[in-house]
Amino acid sequence: MGAVNVANKDINVSLAEKKPRVVFVLGGPGSGKGTQCANIVEHFHYTHLSAGDLLRAEIKSGSENGTMIQNMIKEGKIVPSKVTIKLLEKAMLESGNDKFLIDGFPRNEENRAAFEAVTKIEPEFVLFFNCPEEEMEKRLLSRNQGREDDNIETIRKRFKVFLDSSLPVIEYYKVKGKVREIEAAKPIGEVFEAVKVVFTPKAEKVVA
């Protein structure tokens, strides 16, 4: 047990020492977060870490952990913080980068507090894709990616979980002046123009 604790401590120290730039990316299911994260990676050279993708990869691995995660997702529940944080830490350390978009996390206040306590990292800011529920529902039903959690009943459960759990996180960071809100119902190109303004250093904006 002692060896495990030491290993975890080493992970935390090295992550904190790297002083990574972390941006939390939040928005309801179907708000276009994934598409915009791909654009940010291409233009601003961040590493995109999707909490959902990391969890799905763990499910595919067939581990005991993966089975537990799969059952929780099926029921529309939120996976325990420590499981997701452990996957995020590992991915951050293995990436070799020091700029990260963490997509779809923290999902609730407990996630948020646990991430800051465990990693000793606070986000530089939170990118919030605000999109009307009807638009998100329309997008999810039309994308047909074969995801198990893309049927109408589960979609509505996910909306409710997002509203109940994630909005308090956004409010917490709003008070700290750390939320950059993007109107996400517009076409992809227009949304990215707004995103670029957030990520472009002020000096470059003046020159432009």
Side-chain angles (χ1 to χ4, degrees):
M1 195 71 187
V4 171
N5 290 341
V6 169
N8 285 347
K9 195 181 278 185
D10 288 346
I11 285 175
N12 297 343
V13 167
S14 52
L15 263 183
E17 275 176 359
K18 281 175 78 173
K19 293 188 169 52
R21 274 180 87 172
V22 170
V23 175
F24 288 150
V25 184
L26 295 176
S31 60
K33 298 192 314 296
T35 302
Q36 294 303 330
C37 282
N39 287 336
I40 296 163
V41 167
E42 189 182 334
H43 286 78
F44 299 103
H45 312 298
Y46 276 70
T47 293
H48 175 210
L49 298 177
S50 159
D53 286 352
L54 290 171
L55 291 167
R56 280 187 284 277
E58 190 69 14
I59 290 167
K60 271 191 180 162
S61 76
S63 68
E64 193 179 324
N65 209 22
T67 304
M68 179 269 292
I69 292 166
Q70 185 174 33
N71 290 337
M72 294 195 83
I73 289 174
K74 259 188 203 165
E75 291 165 24
K77 289 182 183 170
I78 286 177
V79 174
S81 301
K82 62 183 179 187
V83 174
T84 311
I85 292 168
K86 199 184 287 182
L87 295 172
L88 285 167
E89 280 186 324
K90 186 168 178 281
M92 286 167 83
L93 279 171
E94 288 174 356
S95 76
N97 199 355
D98 63 351
K99 298 194 296 186
F100 300 96
L101 299 171
I102 297 186
D103 173 2
F105 187 91
R107 297 278 295 274
N108 57 27
E109 267 293 287
E110 194 264 332
N111 275 179
R112 178 201 65 72
F115 182 86
E116 291 187 8
V118 171
T119 65
K120 306 288 185 280
I121 295 163
E122 266 201 50
E124 189 170 337
F125 59 87
V126 176
L127 192 62
F128 172 39
F129 289 99
N130 200 356
C131 191
E133 193 168 318
E134 316 80 71
E135 176 63 23
M136 292 192 284
E137 192 171 301
K138 194 172 77 184
R139 290 175 182 182
L140 286 174
L141 290 171
S142 66
R143 77 183 185 182
N144 191 22
Q145 288 179 344
R147 272 176 51 179
E148 206 171 292
D149 56 352
D150 275 358
N151 64 66
I152 190 75
E153 198 179 311
T154 313
I155 284 169
R156 287 186 177 153
K157 262 192 209 167
R158 288 168 70 203
F159 287 148
K160 188 174 182 338
V161 167
F162 175 72
L163 291 172
D164 293 349
S165 305
S166 299
L167 288 182
V169 175
I170 291 160
E171 288 307 315
Y172 171 86
Y173 285 116
K174 252 184 195 165
V175 171
K176 291 180 154 238
K178 287 192 168 194
V179 173
R180 308 290 180 268
E181 191 167 324
I182 305 288
E183 282 183 47
K186 295 177 178 176
I188 290 169
E190 284 181 44
V191 173
F192 188 53
E193 286 307 310
V195 168
K196 278 202 281 198
V197 170
V198 172
F199 281 87
T200 304
K202 286 185 173 64
E204 284 182 33
K205 285 179 203 167
V206 173
V207 171

